[in-house]
Amino acid sequence: MAIIALPVSANFGVHHDNHIIILGFFLTIFLLPKNLEDKDYKLVQYIYLGILITYTLSGMSKILGTLKNVIKQTDKLTWISKNAAKMNTYENYWMADEAIPLWIKSIYAYENIWVMVTVLGILTQFFCFLGAFNRKLLTFFMIFIFIFHVYTAEFVLADFSNASYFIIAMFFPYHLLIPLLKKI
């Protein structure tokens, strides 16, 4: 994915969303609407699984990295450290040579809450693959991923705007529209 995304992202900075869009388009190549039958809903689940597994792997790498550092008792800042989320944000603003907004500084004043939010976010990210097999879970994970991308864009300065739109288009509960339109 990195090799495929490199020419796309090399035009102006490195965007964090090219991998998910390229993967989504690649996986949907195998979903040919004219050949689909009712029993082929599994193909859609595999496409969802292919996309959601990227978030699961990201969560797993954060969990394994944190466990490694805790077990080895390193002095590295881990995701369960009180100031991990704040330091991640501050470092990205520093690297972008931008001033940290006061509203972000005031939000990070609640250190213990951020540890819980970070751990819950990583665990939710780890279980994203389950959304491929259950429509309600898929909707939950879609909302989580969208909020995660908005947070990352504001607090980490990662350009995830295209991925947010793609996630909405890919995981939107279209099956709810038909009964809704029939009522109108």
Side-chain angles (χ1 to χ4, degrees), residues 49-76:
L49 181 61
I51 293 170
L52 292 171
I53 201 77
T54 61
Y55 294 96
T56 296
L57 292 173
S58 178
M60 183 174 31
S61 72
K62 291 172 185 155
I63 291 169
L64 292 174
T66 301
L67 285 174
K68 178 194 73 141
N69 288 318
V70 168
I71 290 169
K72 286 187 167 186
Q73 297 179 354
T74 65
D75 59 348
K76 293 181 179 179

Side-chain angles (χ1 to χ4, degrees), residues 140-151:
F140 169 77
F141 288 121
M142 179 195 80
I143 292 167
F144 165 77
I145 291 169
F146 182 79
I147 291 169
F148 172 76
H149 286 168
V150 170
Y151 164 82

Side-chain angles (χ1 to χ4, degrees), residues 55-56 58-59 62 120-128 144 148:
Y55 294 96
T56 296
S58 178
K62 291 172 185 155
L120 285 174
I122 291 170
L123 289 174
T124 304
Q125 204 176 13
F126 176 72
F127 288 109
C128 273
F144 165 77
F148 172 76

Side-chain angles (χ1 to χ4, degrees), residues 111-128:
E111 295 171 344
N112 293 328
I113 291 174
W114 277 100
V115 173
M116 291 186 308
V117 167
T118 302
V119 169
L120 285 174
I122 291 170
L123 289 174
T124 304
Q125 204 176 13
F126 176 72
F127 288 109
C128 273

